[in-house]
Amino acid sequence: MADSVDVPTPRAAAIYPAVSEEIVRILSILPSASLVVAPDGTVLRASSRALTLGIVNRSSLAVSDIAEIVAKVADDGSPREQVLRVRRPPLGRELLEVKARVAPLSSGAILVLIDDLAEERRVDAVRRDFVANVSHELKTPVGALSLLAEAVLTSADDPAQVEHFAEKMQAEAKRLASLIQDVIDLSRLQSDDPMNRAELVETDVLINRAIEEVKTLAVGLGVEIIRGEDVDSVILGDRGQLLTALRNLLTNAISYSAANTRVAVTTREVDGIVEISVRDAGIGIPAHDLDRIFERFYRVDPARSRGTGGTGLGLAIVKHVCQNHGGQCTVWSEVGTGSTFTLRIPSYNPMLDDSRGPSEFTVDTLSVVKGKSL
């Protein structure tokens, strides 16, 4: 898979007809976010990682500090390397620490390589905390299984009691299996880059698939799922991760809703951001808990979570999926009224796509791309 394609800007194409395919192949195997730009800052090629970090906006550099380094290299032709602290576009809330390496190419264009230093440090810290948290959380179901096994042994002569305790053991074993699976999923997310296997994901197809997967749960609890109008929007990312995040939001909305209520899923695209909202009329979340609900293993109501099979990792998984795709998840909630969770992820920009090769996507094929079934 080629890791870069030409940005279809006529002016840039006239000055730099093509960046050699050899350079493209080299960039495709580098772990760094990579850009090839004209001396005036016009982006000629961009990697998926560069798009995820928000370094590129259409055909321009979105980070002024990096644009300044490019201008200096264009002026004197000397390579430069600098560590920068920048805010991540397009949402602008996350502070990134990156190392930028900029050097001129023989064609007159300029190569930019970006490494996210904060991400490496964050992953190391998260892994240490994660091991401690998992060890603590596993004690509960393992301890419960041990006690239930003892109860079965002491009640061997009472078939009714044996059956009762065996059912409890099945429930704890199921909860333990769910916890282990969520631990595995979150561990992968925390060290994974979805752009390594990016594909085009139509939001309407994604929503339909997620609803289909939770339909049995909704029917069993007497909750109706309703859809808003379709929106012709596309996301570049990992379809499996995006599906997991949306499915987790739907599962939570259904599990915490009363029978004969509705869960609504709506979509819109605003300023290049795809917003997928899941709204329920459930019990709601107290205001003092809203800042912590995305923490690993945090539960607003531990007893209710155990009753619904919750592991305390579902929203943490949602948070990391959004971060991996350069977005965020927001929440509004009121006790007794319900909650609305919204996935906010940058939409696919075909002018800067680097994941499918130079001949497949251009600005002229946007309508074909959005109509393509995945």
Side-chain angles (χ1 to χ4, degrees), residues 57-262:
N57 180 18
R58 299 184 182 276
S59 60
S60 302
L61 288 168
V63 180
S64 59
D65 290 340
I66 297 177
E68 289 177 7
I69 299 174
V70 169
K72 291 177 182 178
V73 172
D75 184 53
D76 60 22
S78 299
R80 283 176 168 78
E81 180 177 310
Q82 187 173 340
V83 175
L84 305 168
R85 293 178 67 85
V86 300
R87 294 209 172 270
R88 182 178 192 167
L91 302 177
R93 297 183 180 180
E94 184 180 357
L95 191 65
L96 298 177
E97 183 177 4
V98 301
K99 179 168 69 175
R101 290 171 288 170
V102 185
L105 299 174
S106 58
S107 64
I110 296 172
L111 172 65
V112 181
L113 298 178
I114 306 292
D115 293 305
D116 185 357
L117 302 179
E119 179 67 14
E120 296 177 6
R121 295 166 186 166
R122 183 189 66 80
V123 168
D124 288 339
V126 164
R127 283 173 177 165
R128 290 193 297 270
D129 293 342
F130 195 55
V131 170
N133 289 339
V134 168
S135 300
H136 175 74
E137 288 294 324
L138 286 175
K139 288 180 180 179
T140 301
V142 170
L145 285 170
S146 177
L147 291 174
L148 288 168
E150 291 180 10
V152 169
L153 288 174
T154 58
S155 305
D157 297 331
D158 188 340
Q161 285 291 87
V162 169
E163 182 179 357
H164 171 73
F165 288 128
E167 290 176 353
K168 293 289 186 181
M169 290 180 70
Q170 283 184 328
E172 288 297 331
K174 183 177 179 180
R175 179 168 175 260
L176 181 59
S178 296
L179 176 58
I180 292 173
Q181 185 59 55
D182 280 351
V183 166
I184 293 171
D185 291 342
L186 185 55
S187 179
R188 287 173 178 170
L189 287 170
Q190 290 172 336
S191 59
D192 194 18
D193 183 356
M195 292 301 110
N196 288 335
R197 53 184 178 281
E199 58 183 311
L200 295 180
V201 182
E202 295 181 67
T203 55
D204 294 327
V205 174
L206 178 73
I207 292 170
N208 291 337
R209 175 70 180 275
I211 291 175
E212 186 65 28
E213 292 191 5
V214 300
K215 184 178 294 184
T216 301
L217 175 64
V219 171
L221 295 177
V223 176
E224 181 185 2
I225 303 176
I226 59 175
R227 277 282 319 266
E229 294 183 1
D230 290 350
V231 175
D232 189 18
S233 58
V234 180
I235 298 170
L236 178 65
D238 186 306
R239 180 167 51 183
Q241 287 191 16
L242 294 168
L243 180 61
T244 296
L246 184 54
R247 184 175 60 237
N248 284 358
L249 291 185
L250 285 169
T251 299
N252 280 357
I254 295 167
S255 299
Y256 288 91
S257 293
N260 301 317
T261 59
R262 291 179 171 181

Side-chain angles (χ1 to χ4, degrees), residues 7-28:
V7 175
T9 52
R11 178 174 174 274
I15 301 174
Y16 305 97
V19 178
S20 74
E21 290 305 313
E22 183 178 4
I23 291 178
V24 173
R25 286 194 294 271
I26 292 173
L27 296 181
S28 69

